[in-house]
Amino acid sequence: GVGVIHTQAYYLAANQNYGIQLMNLGLPPQQIIDSLVANDAQNNPFKRQYGVVDLFEGSARCAAYTGVNCDDYKNHIIGPNYTIQGNILLGQQILDSMEARFLNTEGELACKLMAALQGAKVIGADTRCLDDGVSSLSAFLRVAQPNDPANDLYIDLNVPSVLPGTDPIDVL
């Protein structure tokens, strides 16, 4: 019922948990990111990516961070009520495609998020996957209702791996 913090690029649970603590204290997204960067659990925030969105007095507040040492291509997009992060990508066109699909899809948040993932369903979007003919190594979609416990979300789908030649976004 507060917001979301997504951490990626050399993910550390300690950083994710610290960000959640800050969100639960009511800090705004940019302050959360500034504190995550200043207090990285391994003192190496420059290889991390964060996206934070919260709801404050009925309005969304958003911030994102992409460390300079994330693997190329790396970047993020901040919109009025969303952030999109990516690294190890073919290029900016993947993030732009995700944003366009998110913005142009009707329906609830889960539908918009799935559409954004489909915007990244380009062979080699994650450049590690180019030779395998798929877009990514894995895919997940998590959406919580305001009162969902952390271990029982409204939607919690995860495709951690797939058979060779199968795209995880298709399986999701």
Side-chain angles (χ1 to χ4, degrees):
V2 178
V4 63
I5 298 174
H6 182 71
T7 64
Q8 64 183 42
Y10 299 96
Y11 170 83
L12 282 177
N15 288 340
Q16 177 83 25
N17 294 334
Y18 178 63
I20 291 168
Q21 290 172 4
L22 298 175
M23 180 172 273
N24 287 335
L25 291 172
L27 272 65
Q30 189 59 55
Q31 215 173 339
I32 292 170
I33 286 177
D34 292 345
S35 190
L36 282 164
V37 170
N39 298 289
D40 185 82
Q42 291 180 335
N43 199 30
N44 192 0
F46 307 112
K47 63 181 186 177
R48 315 239 188 262
Q49 276 192 305
Y50 299 109
V52 181
V53 179
D54 76 356
L55 300 173
F56 181 74
E57 297 179 356
S59 295
R61 301 183 297 185
C62 308
Y65 169 80
T66 299
V68 296
N69 292 336
C70 289
D71 294 327
D72 282 330
Y73 177 81
K74 67 216 176 238
N75 202 1
H76 62 262
I77 297 173
I78 300 172
N81 60 355
Y82 61 89
T83 69
I84 302 168
Q85 296 79 232
N87 64 87
I88 319 172
L89 298 176
L90 282 175
Q92 183 65 35
Q93 71 272 21
I94 301 301
L95 297 171
D96 292 342
S97 175
M98 293 176 74
E99 181 180 41
R101 298 269 187 121
F102 180 84
L103 293 173
N104 293 312
T105 297
E106 298 291 323
E108 63 180 57
L109 180 60
C111 295
K112 295 173 81 62
L113 291 172
M114 189 66 221
L117 286 173
Q118 299 217 333
K121 191 181 164 289
V122 174
I123 292 175
D126 175 332
T127 56
R128 297 171 293 184
C129 302
L130 191 56
D131 291 340
D132 296 329
V134 295
S135 67
S136 52
L137 298 173
S138 62
F140 69 89
L141 180 65
R142 301 183 83 201
V143 179
Q145 299 287 356
N147 296 316
D148 286 353
N151 61 349
D152 189 20
L153 303 180
Y154 169 64
I155 296 174
D156 192 359
L157 304 173
N158 186 12
V159 179
S161 63
V162 291
L163 296 172
T166 303
D167 198 287
I169 293 173
D170 287 339
V171 175
L172 186 68

